[in-house]
Structures are given as C-alpha cells and as structure tokens.
Amino acid sequence: MATTLPLVYLDHAATTPVRAEVFEAMAPFYGPKFGNPSSTHRWGREARAALDTARERLARCLGAHPDEVCFTSCGTESDNMSVIGTWRALHAQGRPAVVTTPIEHKAVLAAAHQVAKEGGEERLLEVDRNGVVTDASFDALVRDDVAVCSVMWVNNETGVVQNVPALAARAKARGVVFHTDGVQAFGKVVVDAQTQPFDLLAISGHKIGAPKGIGALYIRRGTPFEPLLHGGSQDRGRRPGTENVAYAVGLATAAELAVAEREEHWTRLERMRDELEAMILAQVPDVVVHSRGADRAPHVLSVSVPGTDSESLLMALDLQGIACSGGSACQSGSVTPSHVLTAMGVDPALAGAAIRMSLGMLTREDDVARVGELFPRLVAKARALATA
Ligand code: PLP
C-alpha cells in the first residue's frame, strides 16, 4: 500500500493478524509433518500426536477435558452446531424452544431462525438500553420447554459483557442447556469450564491471533448434541472431516498466549480505550458512547456522532489511514441500522451514525493520540458530507 500516512488499525473485533509464534508453530505441518491424523502409519501417527496435543493444550486454556473440545472451521460453525445440534437432540423430548437475545451475532440469530424453519420455536430475550439481558425476560422465557438458551458473553458491536456464569446457572436450574458465543470474550474475560457452568462455548481463532478458518466448540460431557455434518468419525463423530492439524496447532498456540497475557492485555486496552473515549467526548461532547453504563470489554468502543452517518465518518477516517468499522450493515446499497443498537432502543438516526473502534495487539498509545486528535476535524467533514 503506497502511503506515507501512519496507518492505524482499529478493527481488531473484525479480525487480528496472525501472531509470529502461531505462524511458526504451524509451519512444520505445511512441510514434513503433512500426514492425515486418521492414517495408521508414521506420518499419520505424527499428525495424530500433534492434534491430540493441540486439543489438550486448548482444553487446559478452557478448564476443560480434552474430549470436551471440538475443533471447527470458525466461530459461526461452533455457534450453529450449538444451537441447531442441541435443539435437534432435544426438541422431541418436550423442549421445542430455543431462547437467545436480539443482540447476538448473526451466527446465532440465523441458527435460531433455522430451528424455527425446522418446526421449533424461537424466543428472544429483552435487553435494556445498555444491551444487558433483563432478569424479568430471562425468568419469563427460559422455561422447562427450552432445549437451549444462547447468550453471547461479549457483544461484538458494543463490548457489553453479560454475566454468563450467573445466567448459565439459572438456565441449568431449569434443566436448560446453556450456550455462549465466546468469540469476543475469550482472551478478555476469565473463561473456565471447571468453575463456570456453561455447557457449550464457541471460540474463533482469528480474533486472537490465529488464522481465519479455525474455531472450537467446548461441549460439556453429557450435553445432548446431534452433529450437523455426516461422514467420518473424526472428533468423536461430532464434527466429521479430516482435521486441519496445522490450524488446530495454531489455535492452541494462540489460545495459550491469550490466556497468559489476558490480564495485562485487558489493563493495556482499557487504559487506551478510556483515553480515546475521553478525548472524543472532550472535543465532540454530543457523541453518544453505547453501553457506557454497563460492564464493557475494553477492546470495543462504539460511538455515534449525531449529524453524521457511519459511512461518511468511516470514509473520512479511512482517508487518514484509520481503519474502523460501522455499526450497521450495508445491504445492496441501503444502510440498515445495526440490529444490536436497534434492540437497545437507540434512535435509528443515531444507530445509523455508529462506528466501532476496536483495539488489540497492534494498538499503541500513539494510535489513540492520533485518532483522538483528528476526530473533531473528521467529524466536521462527515457532518458537512451528510448535509451536502
Ligand atoms: N460471534 C461473534 C461475537 C463474532 O464477533 C464473530 C465474528 O465477527 C463470530 C461469531 C463469527 O466468527 P467467525 O468469523 O470465526 O465465523
């Protein structure tokens, strides 16, 4: 990219670069260690040993038994397996419903729609203005006719953190399987299957420095589950298909680093997020910071700037070499305000003006200072564009 601008990547919630340690750990599996883990000869045994070790390492990061860890192709697949796989296993036993929230990633929402298409019932919990699930709706909807309740741990648009351990305990008291989309949570909050009662947890490699195209699903022993894919007996039949050994090793390596660095990472990101937020609010006081009144993971800062639209502001930022993302989906030219902000009751014009800045391993104090300094000028430009 020919540019003299200092580039600032503030889109870590979308994806992260592959860490050098991860790349290095994966390399031998593109060379001499190319075997198929199902083969019985020495190449196969070598690949099997690497896969088993990767599973054990990832299990340790999750407080899980190795047989509770299933490698998948991504967070989306892990979420689909959880919602659809559990419902298929349980719906005929008097549990026709699935419960989730209106602020989930589409990987969960679309899986719940699929359940409805297959004859199930889809129920959505209510969230408050900060995007936190309300106790009243949880008590009303999570009943003994529910197969699975899925509540995301950290929201990808606002960073809001749900009290997953407490919600999981309440669901399980009603005999309901509890799934959480932990894609944005892992490496930020403490995740420990030994002390936290979730049954299913989805993670994704590319949010923590592993490549795109690898994820994992934690499945607590004894959780009713029907596989979505059919074929071989890999991964105990839960996820047939020849395993991606290199990526499994990469994910285990990234997960170990994420767990080891978690607290320090949180503190560093929180300091920079707070600094950025304070600079923005000081200079553009009418900016709205979403979910500000709730617990937030420190890597996501979601703001709406009245009098702009997200596209104009993102373009102005991009022209300065600053990469952020919108809080809204652009479908065939028309901008639909984010379903997350809409569910939180944010006014449509404000929801359409949302941008997400997400910090991570590439973020430095200088980046925050640069964005904070340029922000008022870029807002003025975006406002002029919006009214032109
Ligand atoms: N869930 C959340 C909260 C996410 O942020 C994402 C990705 O953005 C996903 C699920 C999907 O993960 P993947 O890209 O690995 O399919």
Side-chain angles (χ1 to χ4, degrees), residues 13-15 73-79 103-108 152-157 181-185 202-207 211-215 356:
T15 199
S73 67
C74 56
T76 299
E77 184 184 351
S78 302
D79 283 337
I103 61 162
E104 297 298 312
H105 189 274
K106 292 280 159 89
V108 168
M152 76 194 315
W153 208 325
V154 171
N155 183 267
N156 50 304
E157 290 190 27
D181 176 338
V183 167
Q184 298 288 347
I203 69 169
S204 171
H206 73 107
K207 311 295 182 180
K212 294 159 207 36
I214 180 79
R356 176 185 74 179

